[in-house]
Amino acid sequence: MNLKYAVCMLLIAGSVLTAGCIGSENSGGEEAAGVPTENLPEGFSLIAVVDDSTPGINMEDEIADFRGDEDIGEVEAVVGKYQWGEMGKDYDARITVIDCESELKAEAAVANYIAQPDFENPPFKGVDRFSTAVVNGRQVTEIRDKVEKELKYIYLWNDGNRVVLVEGNGDRADSLELASATGL
């Protein structure tokens, strides 16, 4: 094992344990409001679950892409961060769940996210930015994003006043499986 890799793993593990982020006791003993912590798809492992009570985390920074022209009001958010690739080399997968004051505010959050300037152009020539997919029997928006020279699959939908964003990896099937793990 590379010493640099081992030190990185120890630092991350220590930070997570110190912050008290891992465990099913988040959000009053529930499974973090749609952010899966157990029974994850093969290849994904939980790094941390963060919310307003997590020391050193500003949740407004975590959900900045949902703020925009349309007002989403006051929200409560939870973010699950997952490792799927090589630590320190590959980006993390994430699941963000936002509870809004109403279904209209949740729809506004979805619209704001989709309207990001980064999404104006296709990720690669000949590749559509947006499509649809089915997650847990529900039609959702599939967003294809560019990460270096590969695609990353993102799924976005609202379920009543709740917004769900799943930022998967470069494998569509794996990313859909992670989205399904939300149960929403």
Side-chain angles (χ1 to χ4, degrees), residues 15-115:
S15 296
V16 169
L17 290 174
T18 301
C21 298
I22 288 184
S24 60
E25 293 183 19
N26 233 356
S27 300
E30 294 178 12
E31 195 176 85
V35 175
T37 59
E38 298 176 345
N39 302 318
L40 298 171
E42 186 175 334
F44 290 93
S45 60
L46 181 67
I47 297 173
V49 175
V50 297
D51 60 17
D52 282 329
S53 68
T54 306
I57 299 293
N58 180 348
M59 287 308 288
E60 280 302 314
D61 292 341
E62 297 289 325
I63 64 165
D65 291 336
F66 293 95
R67 300 277 184 197
D69 291 341
E70 296 190 43
D71 178 36
I72 67 169
E74 295 292 319
V75 300
E76 289 187 26
V78 178
V79 178
K81 298 181 182 188
Y82 305 87
Q83 178 186 346
W84 63 271
E86 187 177 328
M87 182 72 79
K89 178 182 175 207
D90 296 308
Y91 56 89
D92 296 334
R94 297 166 45 108
I95 296 176
T96 303
V97 178
I98 301 174
D99 286 321
C100 299
E101 299 168 342
S102 68
E103 186 169 357
L104 287 175
K105 300 279 186 180
E107 290 169 356
V110 168
N112 287 341
Y113 190 88
I114 290 172

